[in-house]
Amino acid sequence: MSNKLFTDFEAVSSKQWKTQIQYELKGADYNETLVWESPEGIKVRPFYHIDEAAEPLSIPTEVSGFRIVQNIFVRDLEKSIARAKETLSRGAESLRFTLENEKVDIEKLLTSLPLETIPVYLNFHFLDLPFMEKINSIAKKHNATIYLHVDPIGQLAQDGNWHSNLDADFNTLNDIALKCTNLNFLSINSSLYQNAGANIVQQLAYTLSHVNEYFNRMVTIGAPVTLQVAVGTNYFFEIAKLRALRLLFNTLAKEYDHKHECHIIAVPTKRNKTLYDYNVNMLRTTTECMSAILGGANSVSNLAYDAIYHKDNEFGDRISRNQLLVLKHESYFDLVNNPSDGAYYIESLTNQLAEKALTLFKDIEANGGFITQLIEGTIQRKIGESAKKEQELFDNGKEILLGTNKYPNKEDRMSHDLELYPFVKVNPRKTLITPIIEKRLAEKLEQERLETEK
């Protein structure tokens, strides 16, 4: 169409919009009525206008290339291989295996798959150089793309202990970097901080500091760094979070002459998932996956609706995978790259989150660095404070979750979430997070028993 539409209409400036809004408020204060402040200290305005917008950020997000990842915990090797093949035939585009130890026949597991076309993620609870070298040989032979979730600092944050000790772990990691050149060997488990209650600025700053420790201590990092990210419920903020993360990583990597883009694999948070009315979890994970895709995650691994109280099962996995398939093939989320470009609100959020995170990052580095503050308990304390603040907002009705009524019937325990997150809490003495699900699951089972007896 050559004719331009709406040329007869004059543009409306931001000043005119504000004047009209103030008139409609009939004397009410603009800032108190329409401007709200997020837990990160960002004041959110009711509208964003081009004449107040900063220069657009250059953050390429290749949404068209995002992959659907299926998680598989390897207990029985034959069953895991069969399950992997089945999920690939049902729409999965990548696989993430979790291995408990190095006794798994990794060659049989990997060579049973179409490695030339399917990227594979391997999540370890151990650090073993010969095992990694075996995987490297397989990757070289089959021209495979394999990402190792190797993260000794993440091990310290989650468990309170290194695999061996700081020096031994980094010596092994440096050996892997030098000898396993066909693998993407380094991963940052940023999801720990979100699930434990850190706000978005803290998540970004802690992830950046986490990465910086590796840049400082590694001899070389000649492959893309994988960032595992948990995506929360604040839709536009989470889109901006992933964009800010990529921006901050590129800024830091440039200082170390690291030439590779980071590789982001996103998963919905566990923090807001409910044991009661558990089908609501499907609504929450859907919006979180949407944020992950629009924010530019390279891969998205959905969380089953029953993941916090059931072991992996075929039905839960199928539903979670189908959510992503619907977003990709029926909602067409993969057809447009850089979908957030031109959204002044998201641009503003990205800028502010990045600036605040960079300030916090500099403070961490000036006070000993990330590992030092983790060992001292400073990181845990700060996350604990944020988690408490978020819980208070939820308890007071100021934090509204999708599928949760603002005015629940408190006599009906099954009608609403009793806690913002019944799965992990901060333990300032040793570990970053500690499961507390048993008590809440017992309550749910007891409720079901009483209903059955009626």
Side-chain angles (χ1 to χ4, degrees):
M1 182 181 291
S2 59
N3 296 329
K4 293 185 178 180
L5 302 178
F6 307 118
T7 54
D8 293 337
F9 295 90
E10 293 184 5
V12 180
S13 68
S14 61
K15 184 177 180 179
Q16 289 174 297
W17 275 112
K18 288 177 182 176
T19 301
Q20 182 63 32
I21 290 171
Q22 193 65 62
Y23 171 78
E24 298 291 343
L25 286 173
K26 302 184 186 301
D29 185 87
Y30 176 91
N31 290 321
E32 290 185 4
T33 306
L34 297 179
V35 177
W36 60 275
E37 186 172 333
S38 76
E40 295 79 17
I42 294 176
K43 294 186 183 297
V44 180
R45 306 193 302 271
F47 74 97
Y48 291 77
H49 196 281
I50 188 172
D51 62 17
E52 297 178 329
E55 283 293 317
L57 297 168
S58 178
I59 309 174
T61 51
E62 295 185 7
V63 173
S64 60
F66 95 89
R67 290 180 177 270
I68 299 171
V69 180
Q70 178 65 57
N71 292 318
I72 298 176
F73 192 98
V74 180
R75 296 184 181 90
D76 182 295
L77 183 61
E78 296 297 338
K79 289 182 179 179
S80 295
I81 292 172
R83 186 178 169 207
K85 291 179 177 179
E86 182 185 12
T87 57
L88 289 174
S89 69
R90 290 177 176 268
E93 299 165 327
S94 184
L95 299 167
R96 177 161 62 174
F97 296 101
T98 296
L99 313 177
E100 281 192 301
N101 55 57
E102 63 273 26
K103 296 179 182 178
V104 174
D105 188 344
I106 192 65
E107 184 169 2
K108 183 175 182 180
L109 175 65
L110 293 177
T111 55
S112 301
L113 306 172
L115 293 178
E116 294 80 4
T117 57
I118 300 298
V120 175
Y121 301 86
L122 297 175
N123 185 33
F124 300 112
H125 296 299
F126 56 91
L127 194 61
D128 183 80
L129 178 59
F131 193 78
M132 310 300 176
E133 289 180 310
K134 188 182 297 185
I135 299 170
N136 184 66
S137 298
I138 297 169
K140 182 178 181 181
K141 181 178 179 180
H142 295 273
N143 194 28
T145 301
I146 298 178
Y147 299 89
L148 304 184
H149 287 346
V150 175
D151 182 11
I153 299 175
Q155 166 71 18
L156 174 69
Q158 184 171 22
D159 185 64
N161 296 290
W162 299 96
H163 292 288
S164 297
N165 57 62
L166 187 152
D167 291 335
D169 283 6
F170 273 97
N171 286 338
T172 302
L173 199 57
N174 277 308
D175 286 340
I176 293 172
L178 293 172
K179 297 179 180 180
C180 301
T181 55
N182 298 291
L183 302 175
N184 302 289
F185 67 93
L186 184 61
S187 177
I188 310 300
N189 190 359
S190 171
S191 63
L192 287 172
Y193 313 126
Q194 201 284 340
N195 281 320
N199 64 43
I200 291 177
V201 169
Q202 289 174 327
Q203 293 169 47
L204 291 169
Y206 296 160
T207 303
L208 200 62
S209 293
H210 194 146
V211 174
N212 193 53
E213 291 287 354
Y214 287 119
F215 278 138
N216 272 318
R217 296 171 184 271
M218 297 290 295
V219 173
T220 181
I221 303 178
V225 176
T226 303
L227 304 178
Q228 301 176 64
V229 181
V231 179
T233 192
N234 195 337
Y235 185 70
F236 290 107
F237 271 68
E238 293 295 332
I239 295 173
K241 179 179 82 176
L242 265 64
R243 298 176 81 243
L245 179 59
R246 196 174 290 278
L247 177 66
L248 289 167
F249 178 89
N250 289 342
T251 302
L252 180 66
K254 186 177 180 180
E255 297 299 316
Y256 290 93
D257 200 29
H258 181 73
K259 304 295 185 183
H260 302 277
E261 286 275 338
C262 61
H263 180 89
I264 297 176
I265 177 169
V267 63
T269 180
K270 294 177 181 176
R271 184 167 175 74
N272 63 6
K273 302 306 179 286
T274 177
L275 292 172
Y276 313 100
D277 197 13
Y278 43 79
N279 289 319
V280 165
N281 292 335
M282 284 186 278
L283 300 177
R284 295 176 184 170
T285 54
T286 297
T287 64
E288 289 155 5
C289 286
M290 289 165 65
S291 292
I293 296 166
L294 297 177
N298 300 94
S299 298
V300 181
S301 170
N302 196 10
L303 190 72
Y305 75 97
D306 57 353
I308 63 172
Y309 63 88
H310 270 171
K311 291 182 178 180
D312 291 350
N313 60 89
E314 194 276 335
F315 181 77
D317 286 346
R318 179 162 58 87
I319 294 299
S320 65
R321 188 170 60 251
N322 285 348
Q323 288 173 257
L324 287 169
L325 288 169
V326 168
L327 289 177
K328 190 164 195 176
H329 299 300
E330 296 185 30
S331 301
Y332 309 115
F333 266 58
D334 65 330
L335 293 189
V336 179
N337 286 327
N338 308 312
S340 300
D341 283 4
Y344 307 127
Y345 178 37
I346 295 176
E347 286 280 337
S348 176
L349 290 179
T350 304
N351 258 318
Q352 292 182 75
L353 290 173
E355 289 174 0
K356 287 178 177 290
L358 191 59
T359 299
L360 179 54
F361 166 75
K362 291 177 180 178
D363 179 73
I364 293 170
E365 294 306 307
N367 288 279
F370 186 71
I371 292 177
T372 297
Q373 291 207 0
L374 194 62
I375 292 172
E376 291 175 348
T378 303
I379 302 297
Q380 293 91 321
R381 177 172 55 81
K382 293 292 186 181
I383 291 177
E385 291 169 357
S386 293
K388 182 179 179 181
K389 180 180 179 181
E390 188 179 26
Q391 184 68 56
E392 288 172 351
L393 289 172
F394 178 74
D395 293 340
N396 294 331
K398 296 179 180 179
E399 175 84 12
I400 308 302
L401 297 180
L402 177 64
T404 299
N405 197 311
K406 187 174 182 179
Y407 306 103
N409 175 9
K410 294 187 177 181
E411 300 300 319
D412 181 6
R413 299 188 66 197
M414 297 292 283
S415 69
H416 65 289
D417 292 311
L418 300 180
E419 286 186 12
L420 183 63
Y421 184 45
F423 193 71
V424 298
K425 66 178 181 180
V426 171
N427 181 344
R429 292 182 298 171
K430 186 177 180 183
T431 61
L432 185 65
I433 56 175
T434 305
I436 58 169
I437 193 173
E438 288 83 0
K439 176 184 175 183
R440 307 310 303 279
L441 181 55
E443 291 175 353
K444 180 178 184 297
L445 294 174
E446 178 64 13
Q447 181 75 21
E448 291 177 349
R449 185 184 68 80
L450 293 173
E451 292 293 329
T452 303
E453 290 179 354
K454 289 180 182 179

